[in-house]
Amino acid sequence: MTIQSPIWRSPITSSDRVLLEIQRAIVEGDIPAGSKISEPELARRFDVSRAPLREALARLERCHLIERTPNAGARVVKLSPEGLISLYQLREELEGLACRLAAENMAEKEIEELGALLDQHLNTQRVREGESYYQEEGDLDFHYRIILGSKNAYLINILCDELYFLVRMYRVQLGMNGPRVSRAFDEHKAIIMAIANRDGELADLLMRRHIGASRKNIEIQLQQIRNEHDISN
Amino acid sequence: MTIQSPIWRSPITSSDRVLLEIQRAIVEGDIPAGSKISEPELARRFDVSRAPLREALARLERCHLIERTPNAGARVVKLSPEGLISLYQLREELEGLACRLAAENMAEKEIEELGALLDQHLNTQRVREGESYYQEEGDLDFHYRIILGSKNAYLINILCDELYFLVRMYRVQLGMNGPRVSRAFDEHKAIIMAIANRDGELADLLMRRHIGASRKNIEIQLQQIRNEHDISN
DNA sequence: ATGTTTAATAATGTCGACAATATATGACTA
DNA sequence: TAGTCATATATTGTCGACATTATTAAACAT
């Protein structure tokens, strides 16, 4: 089961279904980055008419997974180092803010659940050593809850509905889930404590560092990939 | 002429045209906040079929001007103190970041133009004393240029395409353009100088203060409106 | 009179077809 | 052979109609 937007519309229409399928396909690379989107083809493939398909495309554009040009159609976005940096610059600010607001606005119960979640992930990780998919999901779940805890509707929308699919796409397609597992747990723990102490300023700072560290880690891996690529050519 | 998204699609389709018209109508209150959107009615009114109209609605949802529920239709958003605060919390972070990046990434020429723009606005404001519409437009233009100067595509998209219509809607409908004019000019001047000095940290700080001051000013006006409302009931 | 159930009405979601635009193919020229 | 132009093909943008769902109105019961 994949993590998806925490705010999901109750009655599911055709376009919702198609959106979910295409989102997954793009994030996991089944529809390759940079490739052209053909409306007739996708409509056949998912057995719907072009109306709900186009509705889905509009929402895919919203979460930056495709780019559309009038009369010319849509393409899946290309992943680039610049894009990744831009994305993480934004996340540092926005999730920092989310943390500060979460420290002010989260209910005690929510904070308890957040702590329980972390313990649970720690156990899962101990049992399934090296199996990084669970860590991936656990990490996103952690970030989601804090974002939701901010109670800022615009912030929630931007992070959960618009940017996080891209984050997942970068992670999945560049295979970024590596060695930072244990350190991430410690950082998560510290963030939760700051929130529990209602210390918004510290929670903010720690989250910025956490994402900054994550970004640097990814940049290193990305540089390695680029080097390998240069050698093989 | 109204300020609109700096990134505009080159060939203008029916849905683009309708989008612009409805955007203006909602921002200026011709279609009242909180009112229901009727697809057949708007389709007749703008002389298009429902297909391009629905495309436009999807994009209106994207910039938070309407809210849609499946099978039930769309409503124009309601303005609320909480919404305004959430919006300005975001702006402080995002435009602070934009300023820091602008100080790093803006071309010398762009910075010169930004300075020229400010002088020009100062003159316009001296000539048309009290006429706040020009100040409104000038202020947005100033912020737009800095955001564009950040060269961060996601940041530009979120601020210019998704949040700024809401900012304008709040300003127009609550009549917020009041007495801060001259102080805003000084603050703008200081921000430009920080950018020109390539001092990203300072530019960031000044922009956060600038927006924070703007927010407090608006909150005061909003409180006054609420008080008047309480008295009249 | 108020609240509940049922029928009538209107709205949204989806479909297939056509028109306008872009892309691909092939003929022609230098 | 490379480049340009005209044609053919395919894709996108738009339309009107239908199916499905929500909303309103009316009838009924309490």
Side-chain angles (χ1 to χ4, degrees):
Chain A
M1 181 191 145
T2 328
I3 290 177
Q4 62 199 34
S5 174
I7 303 147
W8 200 250
R9 323 198 306 178
S10 9
I12 291 176
T13 66
S14 295
S15 81
D16 288 328
R17 206 201 72 222
V18 173
L19 172 65
L20 280 177
E21 301 209 46
I22 302 182
Q23 251 174 357
R24 193 207 53 75
I26 291 179
V27 167
E28 310 206 353
D30 290 351
I31 303 176
S35 65
K36 174 128 188 0
I37 297 274
S38 163
E39 292 185 7
E41 186 200 321
L42 283 186
R44 277 196 305 276
R45 181 162 151 190
F46 295 112
D47 199 40
V48 287
S49 91
R50 282 176 53 222
L53 179 77
R54 283 171 65 88
E55 176 85 30
L57 291 185
R59 287 157 71 186
L60 284 170
E61 187 181 26
R62 182 172 170 172
C63 53
H64 306 276
L65 291 182
I66 65 171
E67 284 165 356
R68 302 167 91 187
T69 29
N71 296 322
R75 306 194 77 88
V76 178
V77 294
K78 287 183 199 163
L79 305 184
S80 69
E82 303 78 42
L84 189 70
I85 291 170
S86 294
L87 187 57
Y88 270 74
Q89 281 174 338
L90 262 185
R91 280 190 67 201
E92 282 186 44
E93 298 294 325
L94 292 177
E95 298 210 36
L97 172 63
C99 250
R100 198 167 71 235
L101 296 177
E104 296 169 11
N105 300 325
M106 268 183 117
E108 290 293 339
K109 194 181 170 189
E110 286 178 300
I111 298 176
E112 282 172 31
E113 285 168 1
L114 190 59
L117 185 78
L118 192 70
D119 292 339
Q120 182 192 319
H121 289 158
L122 191 63
N123 291 333
T124 324
Q125 197 251 327
R126 272 183 188 150
V127 175
R128 311 194 167 241
E129 202 74 47
E131 179 107 35
S132 54
Y133 178 75
Y134 289 87
Q135 199 273 328
E136 154 79 12
E137 191 156 325
D139 180 60
L140 285 187
D141 204 355
F142 174 80
H143 285 269
Y144 268 116
R145 291 196 186 216
I146 291 178
I147 295 162
L148 291 176
S150 76
K151 319 284 188 195
N152 181 318
Y154 301 119
L155 187 58
I156 293 170
N157 183 249
I158 289 174
L159 281 171
C160 296
D161 295 344
E162 293 180 6
L163 294 180
Y164 255 70
F165 293 98
L166 250 188
V167 173
R168 288 185 51 218
M169 185 173 170
Y170 270 102
R171 286 195 184 177
V172 171
Q173 299 209 11
L174 300 180
M176 307 293 180
N177 29 33
R180 287 192 64 260
V181 181
S182 60
R183 193 191 296 174
F185 273 110
D186 296 337
E187 291 174 5
H188 285 187
K189 188 87 189 167
I191 290 171
I192 291 180
M193 289 192 60
I195 291 175
N197 291 334
R198 303 296 183 185
D199 187 342
E201 201 176 350
L202 181 61
D204 184 332
L205 175 79
L206 290 175
M207 180 58 97
R208 280 170 202 261
R209 269 200 205 162
H210 175 58
I211 292 173
S214 196
R215 188 200 68 223
K216 280 164 201 156
N217 182 53
I218 285 173
E219 280 171 0
I220 290 168
Q221 294 190 41
L222 208 142
Q223 189 56 45
Q224 287 174 350
I225 291 171
R226 286 185 69 86
N227 288 344
E228 288 165 19
H229 186 268
D230 286 345
I231 291 166
S232 68
N233 284 17
Chain B
M1 182 194 143
T2 328
I3 290 179
Q4 62 198 35
S5 173
I7 303 146
W8 199 250
R9 322 198 306 177
S10 8
I12 292 175
T13 65
S14 295
S15 81
D16 289 328
R17 206 201 71 221
V18 172
L19 172 65
L20 281 177
E21 300 210 48
I22 304 182
Q23 251 173 357
R24 193 208 52 76
I26 291 179
V27 167
E28 311 209 351
D30 290 350
I31 303 177
S35 65
K36 175 130 190 352
I37 298 273
S38 162
E39 293 184 8
E41 186 201 321
L42 284 185
R44 277 196 306 276
R45 181 161 150 190
F46 294 112
D47 199 40
V48 286
S49 90
R50 284 176 52 222
L53 179 77
R54 283 170 66 85
E55 177 85 28
L57 291 186
R59 287 157 71 186
L60 285 171
E61 187 180 27
R62 182 171 170 172
C63 53
H64 307 276
L65 291 182
I66 65 171
E67 284 166 354
R68 303 167 92 187
T69 30
N71 297 321
R75 306 193 77 87
V76 178
V77 294
K78 288 182 198 162
L79 304 183
S80 69
E82 302 80 41
L84 189 71
I85 290 170
S86 295
L87 186 58
Y88 270 75
Q89 281 174 338
L90 263 185
R91 280 190 67 200
E92 281 186 45
E93 298 294 326
L94 292 176
E95 297 209 36
L97 172 62
C99 249
R100 199 166 70 233
L101 296 176
E104 298 170 10
N105 300 325
M106 266 182 118
E108 290 293 340
K109 194 182 171 189
E110 288 177 299
I111 298 176
E112 281 172 30
E113 285 169 0
L114 190 58
L117 185 78
L118 192 70
D119 292 339
Q120 181 192 318
H121 288 158
L122 190 63
N123 290 334
T124 323
Q125 197 250 329
R126 274 182 187 152
V127 174
R128 311 196 167 239
E129 201 74 47
E131 180 107 34
S132 54
Y133 177 75
Y134 289 86
Q135 199 273 328
E136 154 78 11
E137 192 156 323
D139 180 60
L140 286 186
D141 204 354
F142 174 80
H143 286 269
Y144 268 114
R145 292 199 186 213
I146 292 178
I147 294 163
L148 291 176
S150 76
K151 318 284 188 195
N152 180 318
Y154 302 119
L155 187 57
I156 293 169
N157 182 251
I158 289 174
L159 281 170
C160 296
D161 295 343
E162 293 180 6
L163 294 181
Y164 255 70
F165 292 99
L166 251 186
V167 173
R168 288 185 50 219
M169 186 173 171
Y170 270 102
R171 285 194 184 176
V172 171
Q173 299 209 13
L174 300 181
M176 307 294 180
N177 31 32
R180 288 191 66 259
V181 179
S182 61
R183 192 191 295 174
F185 273 111
D186 295 338
E187 292 173 4
H188 285 188
K189 188 87 189 166
I191 290 171
I192 291 179
M193 289 192 59
I195 291 176
N197 291 334
R198 303 296 182 185
D199 187 342
E201 202 176 349
L202 181 61
D204 184 333
L205 176 79
L206 291 175
M207 181 58 96
R208 281 170 202 262
R209 271 200 204 161
H210 175 58
I211 292 174
S214 195
R215 187 200 68 223
K216 280 163 200 155
N217 182 52
I218 285 174
E219 279 171 0
I220 291 168
Q221 295 191 41
L222 208 140
Q223 190 57 44
Q224 288 173 349
I225 291 172
R226 286 184 69 87
N227 288 344
E228 288 165 19
H229 186 267
D230 286 347
I231 292 167
S232 67
N233 284 14

